[in-house]
Amino acid sequence: MKIRISAVLLLAAALCAPAAQALKLDDLNVDKLKEVKGKLKTLKEPSEADEIEIGKGVAANLLGAAAPVNDPPLQAYVNRVGQWVAMHTERPDLPWRFAVLDTDGVNAFATPGGYVFITRGMLLRMRDEAELAGVLAHEASHVVEKHALKTMRKGKLAGLAGDTLSNYAERKGKEEFTKIVSAGTEIYARGLDKEDEYAADRAGVVIATRAGYDPYGLPSVLQTLASINPQDDTVALMFKTHPDSGKRLELVSNSMEGRLDKFIDNPRVKSRFSSVIKSHIASYKPVKTK
């Protein structure tokens, strides 16, 4: 399976105030609210084909910052694990693609339509295939739930991409596509909503378990991430774009408690993972940058 993607393809705050200062109905511009509500209803959802095309464009942008590792056996291995995991999601028919990026930074991310990336720095901190499957399942769940597209839409009133997303869905214009890809790429520098990350953790352990792996693969990775010094440059971007790993570990562990114990004897697949990683380290040559 070719790993390179074409075109170098990757308030709700409660306000406490005295009763005399309470918000009155006539303080609101009701007509304006109706106008916004009507506009939101008319926003057209991108089709699956649109989703895939947008994700491909965003992935190409991201690949401009970090190329895939030049190790076909390693890429093939991660793709096999990823494809197997993807088969156990609710969207197995997407054109899933998985790649290891040649950077020491510790991170993993996915763009719409099924493009999933994990960095070499992340991979080398793992201990077995169950951990790899857990991380890929987490990222696959972002794709399944369209978290990136929803983030773009939620950013509409802040001027991010909601209108443009709808316009592209209707007209397929080049200008709209360029704006969407730009906005989509920006999301990966800012990060998704915390709740989306927590949801992806919960779904990730379920997907990995369906695929036959020990459900505690992803929590094991979160435990490793929580132990890394926050001042370490390799985790700077991950810690900027993801919630605290310790908090994630606590929440996902609580959600799993007593529910997946019967699958705890599922395999971790350590020997196969170790063999692939050892072969990679022995033959590794960094991708030359221009």
Side-chain angles (χ1 to χ4, degrees):
M1 177 178 295
K2 292 184 178 179
I3 188 63
R4 294 196 62 99
I5 301 172
S6 58
V8 83
L9 240 170
L10 215 27
L11 176 225
L15 299 176
C16 299
Q21 298 177 355
L23 186 67
K24 298 181 178 63
L25 182 60
D26 54 11
D27 291 328
L28 299 173
N29 186 335
V30 178
D31 290 337
K32 184 65 176 177
L33 290 177
K34 288 180 179 178
E35 178 185 333
V36 171
K37 183 179 179 182
K39 194 171 186 180
L40 287 173
K41 282 184 177 180
T42 62
L43 288 176
K44 184 175 180 180
E45 290 283 349
S47 66
E48 186 172 284
D50 293 337
E51 178 188 359
I52 292 167
E53 195 64 21
I54 291 167
K56 185 177 180 180
V58 174
N61 271 4
L62 297 173
L63 284 169
V69 172
N70 184 19
D71 185 341
L74 178 72
Q75 299 286 7
Y77 168 69
V78 171
N79 254 273
R80 284 196 297 271
V81 175
Q83 295 289 347
W84 177 249
V85 167
M87 284 176 60
H88 294 83
T89 70
E90 288 77 13
R91 304 182 71 189
D93 295 329
L94 285 174
W96 294 93
R97 297 289 185 273
F98 299 83
V100 182
L101 302 184
D102 197 4
T103 171
D104 292 331
V106 177
N107 211 347
F109 47 90
T111 71
Y115 300 94
V116 179
F117 303 98
I118 182 171
T119 64
R120 182 175 182 269
M122 171 74 90
L123 190 63
L124 293 183
R125 289 181 183 267
M126 295 180 178
R127 291 162 292 194
D128 53 51
E129 194 169 297
E131 291 192 352
L132 172 60
V135 170
L136 296 182
H138 168 99
E139 298 304 332
S141 71
H142 282 312
V143 175
V144 169
E145 297 300 326
K146 303 182 182 181
H147 284 157
L149 291 177
K150 289 176 181 177
T151 296
M152 293 168 69
R153 172 142 303 182
K154 279 188 260 184
K156 175 202 163 290
L157 296 179
L160 186 55
D163 281 331
T164 307
L165 196 62
S166 180
N167 291 339
Y168 176 71
E170 291 181 359
R171 296 195 293 269
K172 308 294 186 294
K174 183 176 180 180
E175 183 179 351
E176 287 87 358
F177 180 77
T178 300
K179 288 180 180 178
I180 291 166
V181 169
S182 178
T185 303
E186 187 178 348
I187 287 172
Y188 296 89
R190 296 183 178 190
L192 298 169
D193 290 351
K194 287 184 178 181
E195 292 305 319
D196 287 343
E197 293 294 350
Y198 298 146
D201 286 337
R202 294 191 297 271
V205 297
V206 172
I207 293 168
T209 304
R210 283 182 197 156
Y213 292 99
D214 184 325
Y216 287 89
L218 178 59
S220 295
V221 175
L222 293 175
Q223 188 172 38
T224 296
L225 295 176
S227 70
I228 300 175
N229 186 336
Q231 303 305 314
D232 190 328
D233 289 342
T234 63
V235 295
L237 182 59
M238 167 159 273
F239 286 177
K240 176 185 176 183
T241 57
H242 289 74
D244 176 74
S245 299
K247 181 65 173 179
R248 290 173 63 189
L249 176 60
E250 176 188 355
L251 291 176
V252 75
S253 296
N254 289 343
S255 73
M256 295 169 66
E257 191 171 1
R259 294 181 174 88
L260 298 174
D261 288 352
K262 64 182 178 180
F263 301 106
I264 200 168
D265 291 328
N266 282 7
R268 304 281 305 199
V269 198
K270 185 173 183 177
S271 60
R272 180 167 61 196
F273 179 86
S274 297
S275 176
V276 171
I277 296 301
K278 285 178 181 177
S279 295
H280 164 68
I281 291 173
S283 62
Y284 173 66
K285 293 181 181 179
V287 173
K288 293 181 181 180
T289 55
K290 295 181 180 179

